[in-house]
Every structure is written in C-alpha cells, then in structure tokens.
Amino acid sequence: MTQEYKEFTVLSRDGASLILHHRPAGLPEVVHWGAETGELAEAELRALVAAGARQEERGTVDAIWQPNLLPTQGDGWAGRPALLATRAGAPIFPRWITRKITVDGCKLRIESGDAANQLAMRSELDLLAGGVLTLSHELVNEGSGEVEVQHLECVLPIPKNADHLSMFSGRWTREKAPQTIQMPRGAVLRQTRRGRGGHDAPYLQIASAGVPQERAGELWAVHLGWSADCTYRTDRMSEALTLIGAGELLQPAEMRLGAGGAYRTPKAWFGYSGQGLDGLSAGFHTALRAREQHPSTPRPLVLNTWEAVYFDHQPQTLMRLAELAAQVGVERFVLDDGWFMARRDDTKGLGDWEVDRAVWPDGLGPLAALVHELGMEFGLWFEPEMVNPDSDLARNHPDWMLHNAQHVHNPPAGLSWRSQHVLDLANPHAYAHVRQQMGALIQELGIDFIKWDHNRDLIESLHGQRPGTHEHTQAAYRLIRELKQEHPGLEIESCSSGGARTDLGILEYADRVWASDSNDAIERQDIQRWTQLLLPPELVGGHIGPATSHSSGRTLDLSFRAATSLMGSAGFEWNLLECNEQELQQARDFAELYKEVRGLLHTGVPVHAQLLDPALRVSGVVAQDGSAGLWTIATVATLEEALPERIRLHGLKPHSRYRVRVREELGKAEFGWITPQWIAQGDLVLPGRLLEIHGLQIPLLWPGQALIVQVEEVPA
C-alpha cells in the first residue's frame, strides 16, 4: 500500500511501514520506519509528526531531532555525516531542494538538487515483498570541476529503545559468528578492508530492543549488497534518534566525479521484524524469493570433487566417480580445481584457462559428455579474478594485475597469499581474455554450472594510478552477467575461500553461495544457521564431507553430516568410490530424502526454538500454508542435563492435527538408554498449538547427533 500526499509519502507492506515528511527545503525527513501503521489520513500524519517532535517548529537549536535521508552537519547532525565530499579540495556542505518525487507502487524516487554546489541527488526506495526496504543514492556532479566522494551511505533512524547491537565476525571455516553487545554510544563503525567481504565481514547489523530472541521482540537490521569494502555504522547520539546504516568504503581518490559524472551507492537492504529473528529471516527470504532472477527449478543434489580428489586428477577415476554419483542420485557433477595448465598444486596456472592435456589428453569433453549422458549437469571450477605469478598470463601481461607494482615485484618480507595475485578485470584486455577463455569452454563442454572462486584479499589495489577495488568489483559483476546472458541456463556459485563473499550484491548475479570451506557438520550447524538468517536455504550450499573433516580433524557420523547438509542446497564433497556398501546405501537414502523434502525446505518459512542448553541446535521450516514442517534437532556438544528441555515446534496451525515422526533413513541418532515414548511408538498425533506450547521431549542425545522430525497435517 502506498499513500501519497503533498507533504507525506507512506509505504506499507507485509508488516512494515516507512513514512516520509517532505519539507520545502532539505531532503525528506523519516517520520517512521518500523511496524506497519495502517492507512492514515493526512491530518493523522501531521499529528504523528507533532507527536514525535522534540519542540515546536519555530524553536531553533544547533541539533537535529528528526533525521532526513542524508543527515549532514548542515542539518545540525552531530553524528557521522551520511555524505562527505569535496570539490577542488574544499568541503561541500549541501543544501538540497527536492525537484521531483515519483511513486510507482511501493517504489519511491526522489530527485533533489543543490544549485549552489552544482550537485544532484537521486534517491531510490523500494518496499519489497516481506516488508524489506531497499535504499540507494546516486550523486551527480552538475558542475565543471571535479568532485571527490569520501563516502555516501544509506541510513535510517530507529527508536532509542533499541538498546542492543548484534553483528557478525569469524574466520576461515568459522564464518558468520554472532556477537551481541549493548548499543554503543556515539558514532561507531565496523569496516572491512579486504577488497571482498571477508570471513570476518559484518554481513548483517541488527539493532534490537533487548537481547534478540528467536521469535519475539522488535529488530531493525541493515545489510549492504556489495561484494567489496564496506562500512556498517550506528549513531547513538544523545540528542537525536539512533541511526543504523551502511555504505561502500571508498579509498582516498577512488571516487572522483568529472563534469556529469555520477556515483551510485550499493543497495542497502533494511529489514524490520516484530517477531524476532525468525520474523527478520521470513522477511528477507520472502523478498529474495520474489526476485525475477531467483532460482525457480528444484535445487539439484551436487557432487563436487574437491575433497574427493583435490589436485589428483585422473580421468578414469573421475569418470568412475561420475558413474557412481549418478547411481547414488546426484544431479550435478562439478569438477573442481586442478584441470587447467600446470595445475598440480595451488602455486601455478591461475589465469591460463586451458585444459592441461598432460593430465587430460582427450580434454574434458569425454567427462562432460559422460556426465550429461548420465542425466547430470556438468559444472567446472574457475577463479577468474586471480592469477598465479607462475602462469603464462602473468609472464606475458604483468601490467594486468590489480596491485601497486611494488606489491608484486618488491613485497615486504613474508607477504604472500596463496602464491597468487589479483587480475584487474577493469582492464579491458584482461577482461576480454578471461571472458573469451571461459566462454569458449562453456560453449565447447556445455557447462551448466560454474563454481566461481575468489581466494585472496585485494591488497594495495591500483587501477592505473587510482584505487581500483570499486571498478574491479563492478567488472566482476558485469562478467558474470554477460556470461549468463550469452549462455542461457548457466548457473554460478559464489565461493570465496568458502563464505567470504555471500552478500546480496553478488547474488544479484549468482545463483548460490558456498557457505564455508568447512564441511565439519558441527561448525556447519552455526555457519548455515546464521548465513540463512539473511539467505533462504536454497541459496546456501552445504555438502556432506568425509567422515574426518579436513578443516578441523573432527570425525562425525554420516547420519549427522547428512542431516546438516539436508537443511541447505545439499550435496557431497566426498569420494564415494571409497565408501562401503552401507555408506553408499545411506547416500542413496539421503538423495531420496533430499528430493522428497526440498520443495518444502526451499519454499517454506524458517522456524527456530528459543533454547536454554548451549549444546542444542534446532532449525525448522514450515510450509507457507502450515500443512507440514521439517526440523533438525542437533547437538554440537554434551547436553547439560540428563532430562533435556522439550523442543517446541513453532509455526504450525494451532487447531490442525499433525502426525509427527522421526525420519531415520539416514541412520538412527545415538542417545542414552531411555527412549521417549513418542519416538518408540513412531506414531504421534497432536494439534499444532500443543506442539508449540508443550513440545516434544527429546532423548539425551550424544554429541554430534541429530533427529530429523517431520510433521504432516492430518486431514480433518
């Protein structure tokens, strides 16, 4: 719903509202962003402004009470200015006048100008399905002199009772680690300076009234859809409403606008929830699933060869692996790193995207043809943005690298990153080289899927004589887009040493992300849960790895590894040729179960229980119509008490009756000697309301065990 008046615009949808107050001078003020307000008369909107005003309108103080869309010093804003720019070395203090407002459904376009400073601003707001608001700004230089943009960030105000702040950090194989603190006072920043999001990326910033709960309480969140350097910000000022926001982190001299030049911010995604973290996820998932480019076909069961063979490519072995994969039920076979020139380890060959005939004497054509004959899709690994110094490309074109020359030829002692550098895709010659080599292979082999990796930070990035991260990132987006346009049906996964590039910027173009290089299912329980706070599970790759994890050394049961993989876009990262018959049967059973339930998992609503025991993990999905649900109840350590807490199943229809059963095709969970009656009998029927308020008594599960619980509505 949109209400448009001379002084106000109200956008309302799916539980959220944004109210803007248009003033004669200055950008619109944000009167309200949060819970849906319902339809309001213009008189009520004026009254709402009065209800939130600090003082009568003619009062004057050197402070801002009601922030506008881009608060700066000239507005009396004492926090971090949303725009900081200079012209000819002198600071710009903008004075905006609204030129035009355009409303189209729940989309709002605001065009503003500053004649004295010769600037224009175009702001775009879009209230999406799920109540998620996207916001971006575009600054235009209407003068003749150069304008340098230090930063331009998207911000929105939130109530002062939002007294906690939740953020994310992490490391390789331990991405998306949450941290909640008291809302800090003043202007506070979290920044990434890696040229990609990084494993420690802020990812999502959540302000909450109290410590965030799974299914209760108000939350306001922001995510920046950008795959490079970012700033996440909060401004908790004494005399004003709190702001949250985000923007691209620009390096000095990176964004210079000549006459007519423009800088457009990445899109910031703002989410509001009145039903805790699950409400926030439901909003983001709804918004993402409504996108035109969102995957619309069932997410195929994958086998990726990395942890199966690493660099040991033997064509006959890989063909036998493909045949066995098809027998198990795999639908997409992906050949990982090691297929191209001189690639026997990770020190050579990046940039030379030609099949190594010393290893593959007949090329990859026979393998691709076999995979297709077996009814599977064929996928191939690339790292298009990188180059090894030991490669023909680097030797022939050293000027194509995205680095300060001293970084390449005279680095400080010990500075190395996987023996590789970054290829400057903003260089048209480098771009054409990569596009031609990739396109030729896609066409020749009928490639259906690309695992697009990005394994190092961008350090001292220079395009010409200026910082080049922004242009390189835009070029990477363009390359993905053009390859997909040229080869309809091609899907691309964003991998970056695992989960270092899982943002909504890359997902404007990619079809899935690789959540982590860790297939340790204990670690994956949390990595997938928090990645799926923003992304629906069909976008999050999670595979069954070998019994002993390569990243942690931990050994886990196949049933637990399978139960964890099931809750995403599933697959194998495992040499099935080494499996015994029992393991192969479990793999077949897993494939059948995944294909049975993925329609529910990849369209349903996320549900999580509020838990007391830190060793428990409960993740569920309920059908949009409430007719069915599936939960994994897992342990990542020893349970604290001999009688564990009951697990409540949320999101079902209160008065419908449901049949509850444990799916044991993947193997029975191991637990203490006492078996709860509902598991032993195997046929429990209860109303949805009782499953929610009373719950299920679980057994004393051992560490690293999981129950898969399915509920289905019983016809009346």
Side-chain angles (χ1 to χ4, degrees):
M1 179 188 71
T2 301
Q3 293 178 262
E4 186 181 4
Y5 303 98
K6 183 177 180 180
E7 288 187 41
F8 297 95
T9 301
V10 181
L11 304 179
S12 292
R13 189 175 187 181
D14 295 346
S17 289
L18 175 77
I19 301 176
L20 297 181
H21 185 200
H22 305 290
R23 308 298 297 271
L27 294 173
E29 293 177 349
V30 182
V31 177
H32 171 81
W33 168 53
E36 191 164 0
T37 59
E39 192 166 350
L40 298 170
E42 190 166 11
E44 291 174 309
L45 290 167
R46 292 196 186 96
L48 187 64
V49 172
R54 174 68 178 267
Q55 60 182 342
E56 59 182 316
E57 191 168 354
R58 66 175 178 272
T60 59
V61 291
D62 290 330
I64 185 172
W65 306 125
Q66 194 69 40
N68 61 38
L69 286 174
L70 280 171
T72 60
Q73 291 184 49
D75 303 299
W77 172 241
R80 176 179 169 88
L83 168 64
L84 197 62
T86 60
R87 188 189 293 274
I92 295 173
F93 299 113
R95 296 292 186 270
W96 302 110
I97 298 294
T98 300
R99 294 172 174 173
K100 184 179 180 182
I101 298 173
T102 306
V103 179
D104 179 11
C106 283
K107 297 180 180 180
L108 177 64
R109 305 291 181 265
I110 302 168
E111 299 178 27
S112 306
D114 178 349
N117 285 299
Q118 298 178 298
L119 296 174
M121 183 69 69
R122 303 171 186 144
S123 303
E124 298 189 2
L125 303 95
D126 194 353
L127 190 59
L128 306 174
V132 173
L133 179 73
T134 61
L135 172 60
S136 64
H137 301 289
E138 184 177 36
L139 181 68
V140 182
N141 178 13
E142 295 186 329
S144 56
E146 186 176 75
V147 170
E148 181 177 344
V149 182
Q150 275 75 42
H151 69 250
L152 176 56
E153 295 164 354
C154 299
V155 298
L156 286 177
I158 60 174
K160 301 199 80 166
N161 68 320
D163 59 350
H164 281 73
L165 184 66
S166 298
M167 302 168 286
F168 293 86
S169 186
R171 62 169 175 84
W172 180 69
T173 70
R174 201 174 183 275
E175 295 90 338
K176 311 298 187 296
Q179 178 187 37
T180 296
I181 60 174
Q182 289 278 345
M183 179 69 72
R185 266 38 177 185
V188 178
L189 307 180
R190 270 286 309 278
Q191 295 182 321
T192 61
R193 296 176 180 270
R194 298 181 179 275
R196 54 176 175 168
H199 300 94
D200 58 347
Y203 185 60
L204 188 67
Q205 188 156 277
I206 304 168
S208 59
V211 175
Q213 303 295 307
E214 296 288 1
R215 297 187 59 81
E218 286 195 293
L219 307 173
W220 297 261
V222 62
H223 167 83
L224 190 69
W226 181 240
S227 307
D229 297 336
C230 298
T231 293
Y232 282 74
R233 53 176 288 172
T234 59
D235 296 80
R236 177 69 160 86
M237 311 305 295
S238 174
E239 70 277 8
L241 291 175
T242 301
L243 292 189
I244 64 169
E248 180 183 5
L249 192 160
L250 297 168
Q251 298 295 328
E254 184 166 17
M255 193 53 59
R256 293 177 174 176
L257 308 181
Y263 167 64
R264 186 180 182 85
T265 69
K267 192 182 295 181
W269 299 66
F270 290 90
Y272 166 78
S273 169
Q275 290 81 44
L277 295 168
D278 275 357
L280 188 67
S281 289
F284 277 118
H285 294 188
T286 299
L288 292 170
R289 286 169 173 163
R291 301 173 305 156
E292 182 178 351
Q293 74 268 32
H294 193 76
S296 58
T297 57
R299 296 296 80 205
L301 184 67
V302 177
L303 187 142
N304 184 278
T305 66
W306 177 241
E307 290 186 46
V309 300
Y310 295 101
F311 290 109
D312 185 16
H313 281 208
Q314 300 179 32
Q316 292 306 313
T317 298
L318 284 159
M319 287 186 176
R320 287 194 296 116
L321 180 58
E323 290 171 342
L324 184 55
Q327 294 170 18
V328 163
V330 167
E331 299 162 303
R332 174 183 284 165
F333 185 89
V334 182
L335 184 65
D336 210 288
D337 195 358
W339 56 267
F340 49 96
M341 296 296 291
R343 191 66 168 179
R344 306 283 63 79
D345 55 38
D346 63 1
T347 66
K348 303 178 181 67
L350 285 179
D352 299 337
W353 301 112
E354 298 178 12
V355 178
D356 191 340
R357 296 287 175 153
V359 176
W360 294 90
D362 299 320
L364 295 180
L367 176 63
L370 175 64
V371 168
H372 287 136
E373 288 169 9
L374 292 168
M376 297 184 292
E377 297 178 2
F378 180 66
L380 195 60
W381 181 95
F382 288 89
E383 194 169 2
E385 298 162 75
M386 302 295 159
V387 56
N388 286 128
D390 190 355
S391 66
D392 289 344
L393 184 146
R395 285 185 284 271
N396 295 332
H397 302 285
D399 55 317
W400 287 5
M401 295 186 198
L402 184 68
H403 293 292
N404 172 8
Q406 291 184 351
H407 178 83
V408 177
H409 302 297
N410 185 30
L415 180 62
S416 176
W417 198 297
R418 298 189 80 238
S419 302
Q420 65 188 62
H421 294 300
V422 184
L423 189 66
D424 184 6
L425 288 184
N427 180 313
H429 302 293
Y431 184 95
H433 166 84
V434 174
R435 179 177 174 181
Q436 187 277 326
Q437 288 197 314
M438 292 182 72
L441 282 166
I442 295 167
Q443 187 68 36
E444 175 191 346
L445 301 174
I447 293 172
D448 305 289
F449 174 83
I450 288 173
K451 181 178 178 181
W452 183 299
D453 217 338
H454 181 287
N455 276 313
R456 66 155 290 171
D457 291 354
L458 278 58
I459 297 172
E460 295 184 347
S461 301
L462 285 180
H463 174 69
Q465 297 301 311
R466 288 168 56 178
T469 298
H470 176 90
E471 289 191 46
H472 171 85
T473 304
Q474 294 283 16
Y477 289 165
R478 186 171 71 254
L479 180 56
I480 295 174
R481 183 180 68 244
E482 290 179 355
L483 287 172
K484 293 182 70 175
Q485 288 173 344
E486 187 176 336
H487 304 281
L490 176 69
E491 291 196 3
I492 292 178
E493 174 184 68
S494 171
C495 175
S496 185
S497 314
R501 190 155 74 170
T502 59
D503 59 276
L504 297 183
I506 199 71
L507 279 168
E508 289 283 338
Y509 311 97
D511 303 280
R512 153 176 144 141
V513 301
W514 183 233
S516 178
D517 279 347
S518 173
N519 283 318
D520 177 336
I522 293 286
E523 299 295 340
R524 273 281 184 159
Q525 282 285 326
D526 286 344
I527 291 168
Q528 290 177 192
R529 189 272 177 271
W530 295 115
T531 303
Q532 292 174 14
L533 182 63
L534 176 69
L535 305 181
E538 63 269 25
L539 297 181
V540 182
H543 295 171
I544 299 172
T548 299
S549 169
H550 79 117
S551 61
S552 69
R554 184 157 33 208
T555 301
L556 294 166
D557 291 347
L558 176 53
S559 61
F560 184 74
R561 285 143 51 212
T564 302
S565 173
L566 184 70
M567 302 305 286
S569 182
F572 299 95
E573 197 104 358
W574 188 21
N575 190 351
L576 298 178
L577 295 170
E578 298 176 350
C579 294
N580 59 38
E581 186 52 44
Q582 180 183 354
E583 290 172 325
L584 286 176
Q585 187 57 51
Q586 284 182 275
R588 294 185 190 100
D589 292 340
F590 171 74
E592 290 181 9
L593 180 60
Y594 173 68
K595 293 172 187 178
E596 175 191 334
V597 301
R598 63 185 168 188
L600 167 63
L601 293 172
H602 297 167
T603 62
V605 180
V607 287
H608 296 83
Q610 191 69 40
L611 300 170
L612 179 64
D613 194 325
L616 272 172
R617 301 291 184 271
V618 176
S619 295
V621 174
V622 172
Q624 295 284 346
D625 64 0
S627 62
L630 191 78
W631 281 259
T632 60
I633 303 170
T635 53
V636 298
T638 303
L639 294 175
E640 289 189 338
E641 300 192 18
L643 180 65
E645 60 198 276
R646 293 176 186 156
I647 302 302
R648 300 181 178 191
L649 306 185
H650 300 283
L652 301 169
K653 293 185 281 189
H655 303 297
S656 290
R657 298 169 70 246
Y658 293 88
R659 176 164 282 106
V660 183
R661 59 174 172 150
V662 177
R663 301 297 298 263
E664 295 185 334
E665 294 95 326
L666 309 183
K668 293 185 177 182
E670 299 285 351
F671 50 81
W673 61 93
I674 299 175
T675 302
Q677 186 174 350
W678 69 276
I679 294 179
Q681 291 181 346
D683 188 17
L684 178 75
V685 176
L686 277 175
R689 175 162 173 75
L690 291 182
L691 289 170
E692 178 164 25
I693 67 173
H694 184 273
L696 300 173
Q697 179 59 60
I698 62 169
L700 187 61
L701 290 165
W702 293 355
Q705 298 294 315
L707 295 171
I708 300 174
V709 177
Q710 186 174 38
V711 303
E712 294 175 311
E713 188 176 14
V714 177

